[in-house]
Amino acid sequence: NAGVMQNPRHLVRRRGQEARLRCSPMKGHSHVYWYRQLPEEGLKFMVYLQKENIIDESGMPKERFSAEFPKEGPSILRIQQVVRGDSAAYFCASSPPAIPDGYTFGSGTRLTVV
Amino acid sequence: AQSVSQHNHHVILSEAASLELGCNYSYGGTVNLFWYVQYPGQHLQLLLKYFSGDPLVKGIKGFEAEFIKSKFSFNLRKPSVQWSDTAEYFCAVNAGNAGNMLTFGGGTRLMVKP
């Protein structure tokens, strides 16, 4: 049990559809981070959020991608009008306000665009 | 902005061989350093971390890493690898001026032959 819950584990979307990926952070963690892992590539930072705030979105593509972390409920990474190149594993991590233990990662959502 | 380099993208070893994976970072100030492991099909898990004190850090599963400040390095080592160590290994750095942000290296894929 990773403590950070991501769902769904696998998501298949046709080109042009929307993908919604959810992440519930570990209990007591108020910071959420989204990463994308493309086949044969490393982990690429996308966005860092706190409750109701986007802290750093420097890794987010300018179009079609958005993220939120509402006051209540999970963080959502939303990809509109998906394309084949969006196929990847998307990992969410969470941390408490201080960093000493690093991040705790979820099991990821594997998005396949057909 | 800080960067993290892992020079070995793929490493193949036989069981019982010794392992050293390189990690170099670019930030000159205070850093917190991490190594994560990702077993096939799984999420990232923390192997070990360095914050301060003894620069030789021991982690889980017999892994250790040494922080050499003058070389901006935090190499991961294991004296004798096992087949079960087959995984991808990620170095990550939290720079003192980066708040909670972790910057990850590109990862090293380790394959241990039985």
Short mmCIF file of all heavy atoms in Angstrom, two decimals, chain A residues 55-104:
data_model
loop_
_atom_site.label_atom_id
_atom_site.label_comp_id
_atom_site.label_asym_id
_atom_site.label_seq_id
_atom_site.Cartn_x
_atom_site.Cartn_y
_atom_site.Cartn_z
N ILE A 55 1.53 25.76 -7.44
CA ILE A 55 2.78 26.37 -7.00
C ILE A 55 3.77 26.50 -8.15
O ILE A 55 4.44 27.50 -8.31
CB ILE A 55 3.42 25.57 -5.85
CG1 ILE A 55 2.41 25.37 -4.71
CG2 ILE A 55 4.69 26.25 -5.36
CD1 ILE A 55 1.86 26.65 -4.14
N ASP A 56 3.85 25.46 -8.96
CA ASP A 56 4.80 25.45 -10.06
C ASP A 56 4.23 24.58 -11.16
O ASP A 56 3.97 23.40 -10.93
CB ASP A 56 6.16 24.90 -9.57
CG ASP A 56 7.26 24.98 -10.62
OD1 ASP A 56 6.97 24.98 -11.84
OD2 ASP A 56 8.43 25.04 -10.22
N GLU A 57 3.99 25.15 -12.31
CA GLU A 57 3.47 24.38 -13.44
C GLU A 57 4.42 24.46 -14.61
O GLU A 57 4.01 24.35 -15.77
CB GLU A 57 2.06 24.81 -13.81
CG GLU A 57 1.93 26.28 -14.14
CD GLU A 57 0.49 26.68 -14.49
OE1 GLU A 57 -0.35 25.78 -14.67
OE2 GLU A 57 0.24 27.89 -14.55
N SER A 58 5.67 24.65 -14.32
CA SER A 58 6.65 24.87 -15.39
C SER A 58 6.82 23.66 -16.30
O SER A 58 7.29 23.79 -17.42
CB SER A 58 8.00 25.27 -14.80
OG SER A 58 8.46 24.27 -13.90
N GLY A 59 6.42 22.49 -15.86
CA GLY A 59 6.56 21.29 -16.68
C GLY A 59 5.31 20.90 -17.44
O GLY A 59 5.30 19.91 -18.16
N MET A 60 4.28 21.69 -17.30
CA MET A 60 3.01 21.36 -17.97
C MET A 60 3.03 21.87 -19.40
O MET A 60 3.41 23.02 -19.67
CB MET A 60 1.84 22.03 -17.24
CG MET A 60 1.53 21.40 -15.92
SD MET A 60 0.52 19.93 -16.08
CE MET A 60 -1.09 20.68 -15.99
N PRO A 61 2.63 21.03 -20.35
CA PRO A 61 2.45 21.54 -21.71
C PRO A 61 1.46 22.71 -21.68
O PRO A 61 0.53 22.76 -20.87
CB PRO A 61 1.86 20.34 -22.46
CG PRO A 61 2.31 19.16 -21.68
CD PRO A 61 2.34 19.60 -20.25
N LYS A 62 1.69 23.65 -22.58
CA LYS A 62 0.91 24.90 -22.54
C LYS A 62 -0.56 24.68 -22.91
O LYS A 62 -1.44 25.42 -22.47
CB LYS A 62 1.52 25.93 -23.50
CG LYS A 62 2.90 26.39 -23.09
CD LYS A 62 2.83 27.34 -21.90
CE LYS A 62 4.18 27.90 -21.53
NZ LYS A 62 4.95 27.05 -20.65
N GLU A 63 -0.82 23.68 -23.70
CA GLU A 63 -2.19 23.45 -24.15
C GLU A 63 -2.67 22.07 -23.73
O GLU A 63 -1.87 21.14 -23.57
CB GLU A 63 -2.27 23.58 -25.68
CG GLU A 63 -1.93 24.98 -26.17
CD GLU A 63 -1.92 25.07 -27.69
OE1 GLU A 63 -2.01 24.02 -28.36
OE2 GLU A 63 -1.83 26.20 -28.20
N ARG A 64 -3.91 21.94 -23.52
CA ARG A 64 -4.65 20.69 -23.29
C ARG A 64 -4.48 20.11 -21.90
O ARG A 64 -5.28 19.29 -21.49
CB ARG A 64 -4.31 19.62 -24.35
CG ARG A 64 -4.54 20.03 -25.79
CD ARG A 64 -4.33 18.87 -26.76
NE ARG A 64 -2.95 18.37 -26.72
CZ ARG A 64 -2.58 17.22 -26.18
NH1 ARG A 64 -3.47 16.43 -25.61
NH2 ARG A 64 -1.32 16.84 -26.20
N PHE A 65 -3.45 20.50 -21.18
CA PHE A 65 -3.19 19.93 -19.87
C PHE A 65 -3.57 20.94 -18.78
O PHE A 65 -3.26 22.13 -18.89
CB PHE A 65 -1.71 19.58 -19.71
CG PHE A 65 -1.28 18.33 -20.43
CD1 PHE A 65 -1.19 18.32 -21.82
CD2 PHE A 65 -0.97 17.18 -19.74
CE1 PHE A 65 -0.79 17.17 -22.50
CE2 PHE A 65 -0.56 16.03 -20.41
CZ PHE A 65 -0.46 16.03 -21.78
N SER A 66 -4.22 20.43 -17.74
CA SER A 66 -4.51 21.27 -16.59
C SER A 66 -4.51 20.40 -15.34
O SER A 66 -4.68 19.17 -15.42
CB SER A 66 -5.85 21.99 -16.74
OG SER A 66 -6.91 21.05 -16.82
N ALA A 67 -4.32 21.03 -14.19
CA ALA A 67 -4.31 20.30 -12.93
C ALA A 67 -4.96 21.14 -11.86
O ALA A 67 -4.93 22.37 -11.92
CB ALA A 67 -2.88 19.94 -12.53
N GLU A 68 -5.56 20.45 -10.92
CA GLU A 68 -6.15 21.14 -9.79
C GLU A 68 -6.02 20.27 -8.55
O GLU A 68 -5.88 19.04 -8.63
CB GLU A 68 -7.62 21.47 -10.06
CG GLU A 68 -8.50 20.25 -10.26
CD GLU A 68 -9.97 20.61 -10.44
OE1 GLU A 68 -10.29 21.80 -10.58
OE2 GLU A 68 -10.79 19.69 -10.42
N PHE A 69 -6.10 20.93 -7.40
CA PHE A 69 -6.09 20.24 -6.12
C PHE A 69 -7.08 21.01 -5.25
O PHE A 69 -6.70 21.94 -4.55
CB PHE A 69 -4.69 20.24 -5.54
CG PHE A 69 -4.51 19.39 -4.30
CD1 PHE A 69 -5.44 18.42 -3.94
CD2 PHE A 69 -3.41 19.57 -3.49
CE1 PHE A 69 -5.27 17.64 -2.80
CE2 PHE A 69 -3.20 18.79 -2.36
CZ PHE A 69 -4.13 17.84 -2.01
N PRO A 70 -8.35 20.64 -5.32
CA PRO A 70 -9.37 21.42 -4.62
C PRO A 70 -9.29 21.25 -3.11
O PRO A 70 -8.60 20.35 -2.59
CB PRO A 70 -10.68 20.83 -5.17
CG PRO A 70 -10.32 19.45 -5.60
CD PRO A 70 -8.89 19.50 -6.06
N LYS A 71 -10.01 22.10 -2.43
CA LYS A 71 -10.03 22.06 -0.98
C LYS A 71 -10.49 20.68 -0.48
O LYS A 71 -9.98 20.16 0.51
CB LYS A 71 -10.97 23.15 -0.46
CG LYS A 71 -10.92 23.35 1.04
CD LYS A 71 -11.81 24.52 1.45
CE LYS A 71 -11.77 24.72 2.95
NZ LYS A 71 -12.64 25.84 3.37
N GLU A 72 -11.48 20.15 -1.15
CA GLU A 72 -11.96 18.80 -0.81
C GLU A 72 -11.76 17.89 -2.00
O GLU A 72 -12.00 18.28 -3.14
CB GLU A 72 -13.46 18.85 -0.46
CG GLU A 72 -13.79 19.77 0.72
CD GLU A 72 -13.27 19.24 2.04
OE1 GLU A 72 -13.05 18.01 2.14
OE2 GLU A 72 -13.06 20.05 2.97
N GLY A 73 -11.34 16.67 -1.76
CA GLY A 73 -11.23 15.71 -2.85
C GLY A 73 -9.82 15.59 -3.39
O GLY A 73 -8.89 16.28 -2.95
N PRO A 74 -9.68 14.70 -4.37
CA PRO A 74 -8.34 14.41 -4.88
C PRO A 74 -7.82 15.48 -5.82
O PRO A 74 -8.57 16.35 -6.29
CB PRO A 74 -8.56 13.09 -5.65
CG PRO A 74 -9.97 13.19 -6.13
CD PRO A 74 -10.72 13.89 -5.03
N SER A 75 -6.55 15.40 -6.12
CA SER A 75 -5.98 16.21 -7.18
C SER A 75 -6.35 15.56 -8.51
O SER A 75 -6.40 14.34 -8.62
CB SER A 75 -4.47 16.27 -7.03
OG SER A 75 -3.89 16.96 -8.12
N ILE A 76 -6.61 16.39 -9.49
CA ILE A 76 -7.00 15.91 -10.81
C ILE A 76 -6.02 16.45 -11.85
O ILE A 76 -5.74 17.66 -11.88
CB ILE A 76 -8.41 16.39 -11.21
CG1 ILE A 76 -9.44 16.02 -10.14
CG2 ILE A 76 -8.79 15.85 -12.59
CD1 ILE A 76 -9.84 14.59 -10.11
N LEU A 77 -5.51 15.55 -12.68
CA LEU A 77 -4.76 15.96 -13.86
C LEU A 77 -5.66 15.69 -15.05
O LEU A 77 -6.13 14.57 -15.25
CB LEU A 77 -3.46 15.17 -13.99
CG LEU A 77 -2.60 15.48 -15.22
CD1 LEU A 77 -2.02 16.90 -15.12
CD2 LEU A 77 -1.45 14.48 -15.36
N ARG A 78 -5.91 16.71 -15.82
CA ARG A 78 -6.86 16.62 -16.91
C ARG A 78 -6.14 16.85 -18.24
O ARG A 78 -5.39 17.83 -18.38
CB ARG A 78 -7.95 17.67 -16.71
CG ARG A 78 -9.06 17.67 -17.72
CD ARG A 78 -10.05 18.77 -17.36
NE ARG A 78 -11.10 18.90 -18.33
CZ ARG A 78 -11.75 20.04 -18.59
NH1 ARG A 78 -11.43 21.14 -17.92
NH2 ARG A 78 -12.71 20.08 -19.48
N ILE A 79 -6.37 15.96 -19.16
CA ILE A 79 -5.78 16.10 -20.49
C ILE A 79 -6.94 16.11 -21.50
O ILE A 79 -7.68 15.14 -21.63
CB ILE A 79 -4.83 14.94 -20.84
CG1 ILE A 79 -3.84 14.69 -19.70
CG2 ILE A 79 -4.08 15.25 -22.13
CD1 ILE A 79 -2.98 13.43 -19.89
N GLN A 80 -7.08 17.23 -22.15
CA GLN A 80 -8.15 17.36 -23.14
C GLN A 80 -7.65 16.96 -24.52
O GLN A 80 -6.46 17.11 -24.83
CB GLN A 80 -8.64 18.81 -23.17
CG GLN A 80 -9.31 19.25 -21.89
CD GLN A 80 -9.74 20.71 -21.95
OE1 GLN A 80 -8.92 21.61 -21.95
NE2 GLN A 80 -11.05 20.93 -22.00
N GLN A 81 -8.56 16.44 -25.33
CA GLN A 81 -8.25 16.11 -26.73
C GLN A 81 -6.95 15.33 -26.83
O GLN A 81 -6.00 15.75 -27.51
CB GLN A 81 -8.19 17.40 -27.56
CG GLN A 81 -9.50 18.16 -27.55
CD GLN A 81 -9.39 19.52 -28.24
OE1 GLN A 81 -8.33 20.13 -28.25
NE2 GLN A 81 -10.49 19.96 -28.81
N VAL A 82 -6.91 14.20 -26.20
CA VAL A 82 -5.67 13.43 -26.11
C VAL A 82 -5.17 13.03 -27.50
O VAL A 82 -5.95 12.81 -28.43
CB VAL A 82 -5.84 12.17 -25.22
CG1 VAL A 82 -6.12 12.57 -23.78
CG2 VAL A 82 -6.92 11.24 -25.76
N VAL A 83 -3.85 12.93 -27.58
CA VAL A 83 -3.17 12.48 -28.80
C VAL A 83 -2.29 11.29 -28.43
O VAL A 83 -2.03 11.04 -27.24
CB VAL A 83 -2.33 13.60 -29.43
CG1 VAL A 83 -3.21 14.80 -29.78
CG2 VAL A 83 -1.20 14.04 -28.50
N ARG A 84 -1.82 10.58 -29.45
CA ARG A 84 -1.03 9.36 -29.20
C ARG A 84 0.18 9.66 -28.33
O ARG A 84 0.57 8.87 -27.48
CB ARG A 84 -0.58 8.76 -30.54
CG ARG A 84 -1.70 8.07 -31.29
CD ARG A 84 -1.49 6.56 -31.34
NE ARG A 84 -2.67 5.91 -31.91
CZ ARG A 84 -2.83 5.65 -33.19
NH1 ARG A 84 -1.89 5.98 -34.07
NH2 ARG A 84 -3.92 5.04 -33.61
N GLY A 85 0.77 10.83 -28.53
CA GLY A 85 1.97 11.20 -27.78
C GLY A 85 1.74 11.40 -26.29
O GLY A 85 2.69 11.50 -25.52
N ASP A 86 0.47 11.43 -25.88
CA ASP A 86 0.15 11.55 -24.45
C ASP A 86 0.24 10.21 -23.74
O ASP A 86 0.18 10.15 -22.50
CB ASP A 86 -1.24 12.14 -24.25
CG ASP A 86 -1.39 13.55 -24.80
OD1 ASP A 86 -0.36 14.27 -24.84
OD2 ASP A 86 -2.52 13.93 -25.18
N SER A 87 0.35 9.14 -24.49
CA SER A 87 0.45 7.81 -23.88
C SER A 87 1.71 7.75 -23.02
O SER A 87 2.82 7.98 -23.50
CB SER A 87 0.52 6.73 -24.97
OG SER A 87 -0.68 6.68 -25.71
N ALA A 88 1.51 7.44 -21.77
CA ALA A 88 2.63 7.46 -20.81
C ALA A 88 2.10 6.96 -19.47
O ALA A 88 0.90 6.73 -19.30
CB ALA A 88 3.18 8.87 -20.63
N ALA A 89 3.03 6.81 -18.54
CA ALA A 89 2.64 6.57 -17.14
C ALA A 89 2.69 7.91 -16.42
O ALA A 89 3.67 8.64 -16.54
CB ALA A 89 3.59 5.58 -16.49
N TYR A 90 1.64 8.21 -15.71
CA TYR A 90 1.56 9.46 -14.97
C TYR A 90 1.58 9.13 -13.48
O TYR A 90 0.72 8.40 -12.98
CB TYR A 90 0.28 10.23 -15.33
CG TYR A 90 0.30 10.74 -16.75
CD1 TYR A 90 -0.05 9.90 -17.82
CD2 TYR A 90 0.70 12.04 -17.04
CE1 TYR A 90 -0.01 10.36 -19.13
CE2 TYR A 90 0.74 12.50 -18.35
CZ TYR A 90 0.39 11.65 -19.38
OH TYR A 90 0.44 12.11 -20.69
N PHE A 91 2.59 9.65 -12.82
CA PHE A 91 2.76 9.37 -11.40
C PHE A 91 2.45 10.62 -10.59
O PHE A 91 2.85 11.73 -10.94
CB PHE A 91 4.18 8.92 -11.09
CG PHE A 91 4.48 7.53 -11.57
CD1 PHE A 91 5.08 7.32 -12.79
CD2 PHE A 91 4.14 6.43 -10.79
CE1 PHE A 91 5.35 6.04 -13.25
CE2 PHE A 91 4.41 5.14 -11.24
CZ PHE A 91 5.01 4.94 -12.47
N CYS A 92 1.78 10.40 -9.50
CA CYS A 92 1.52 11.44 -8.53
C CYS A 92 2.37 11.14 -7.29
O CYS A 92 2.57 9.97 -6.93
CB CYS A 92 0.03 11.42 -8.19
SG CYS A 92 -0.43 12.42 -6.77
N ALA A 93 2.86 12.18 -6.66
CA ALA A 93 3.57 12.03 -5.40
C ALA A 93 3.03 13.06 -4.43
O ALA A 93 2.46 14.08 -4.85
CB ALA A 93 5.07 12.23 -5.59
N SER A 94 3.19 12.80 -3.16
CA SER A 94 2.78 13.78 -2.17
C SER A 94 3.86 13.92 -1.10
O SER A 94 4.71 13.03 -0.94
CB SER A 94 1.44 13.40 -1.54
OG SER A 94 1.55 12.28 -0.68
N SER A 95 3.82 15.03 -0.41
CA SER A 95 4.76 15.25 0.68
C SER A 95 4.10 16.15 1.73
O SER A 95 3.14 16.87 1.43
CB SER A 95 6.04 15.91 0.17
OG SER A 95 5.85 17.30 -0.06
N PRO A 96 4.61 16.10 2.94
CA PRO A 96 4.17 17.07 3.94
C PRO A 96 4.80 18.43 3.62
O PRO A 96 5.59 18.53 2.68
CB PRO A 96 4.73 16.49 5.24
CG PRO A 96 5.91 15.69 4.82
CD PRO A 96 5.61 15.18 3.44
N PRO A 97 4.48 19.46 4.39
CA PRO A 97 5.06 20.78 4.11
C PRO A 97 6.58 20.80 4.13
O PRO A 97 7.20 21.49 3.34
CB PRO A 97 4.48 21.66 5.22
CG PRO A 97 3.19 21.00 5.56
CD PRO A 97 3.43 19.53 5.41
N ALA A 98 7.18 20.04 5.03
CA ALA A 98 8.64 19.95 5.05
C ALA A 98 9.07 18.72 4.27
O ALA A 98 8.32 17.76 4.15
CB ALA A 98 9.15 19.89 6.48
N ILE A 99 10.27 18.73 3.77
CA ILE A 99 10.70 17.73 2.80
C ILE A 99 11.47 16.53 3.37
O ILE A 99 11.79 15.61 2.63
CB ILE A 99 11.56 18.40 1.70
CG1 ILE A 99 11.63 17.55 0.44
CG2 ILE A 99 12.94 18.74 2.20
CD1 ILE A 99 10.37 17.37 -0.27
N PRO A 100 11.76 16.42 4.66
CA PRO A 100 12.72 15.44 5.14
C PRO A 100 12.57 14.02 4.61
O PRO A 100 13.56 13.35 4.38
CB PRO A 100 12.50 15.46 6.66
CG PRO A 100 12.07 16.82 6.94
CD PRO A 100 11.24 17.24 5.77
N ASP A 101 11.36 13.56 4.39
CA ASP A 101 11.20 12.18 3.94
C ASP A 101 11.04 12.07 2.43
O ASP A 101 10.72 11.01 1.92
CB ASP A 101 9.99 11.54 4.63
CG ASP A 101 10.26 11.33 6.11
OD1 ASP A 101 11.41 11.04 6.46
OD2 ASP A 101 9.31 11.48 6.89
N GLY A 102 11.25 13.14 1.73
CA GLY A 102 11.10 13.09 0.29
C GLY A 102 9.65 12.94 -0.09
O GLY A 102 8.75 13.31 0.66
N TYR A 103 9.44 12.39 -1.24
CA TYR A 103 8.08 12.20 -1.74
C TYR A 103 7.64 10.76 -1.54
O TYR A 103 8.46 9.84 -1.57
CB TYR A 103 8.01 12.46 -3.25
CG TYR A 103 8.31 13.86 -3.71
CD1 TYR A 103 8.41 14.13 -5.08
CD2 TYR A 103 8.46 14.93 -2.84
CE1 TYR A 103 8.67 15.39 -5.55
CE2 TYR A 103 8.73 16.21 -3.31
CZ TYR A 103 8.84 16.43 -4.67
OH TYR A 103 9.09 17.69 -5.15
N THR A 104 6.34 10.59 -1.40
CA THR A 104 5.74 9.26 -1.48
C THR A 104 4.98 9.19 -2.79
O THR A 104 4.14 10.06 -3.06
CB THR A 104 4.79 9.02 -0.30
OG1 THR A 104 5.53 9.12 0.92
CG2 THR A 104 4.19 7.63 -0.38
#
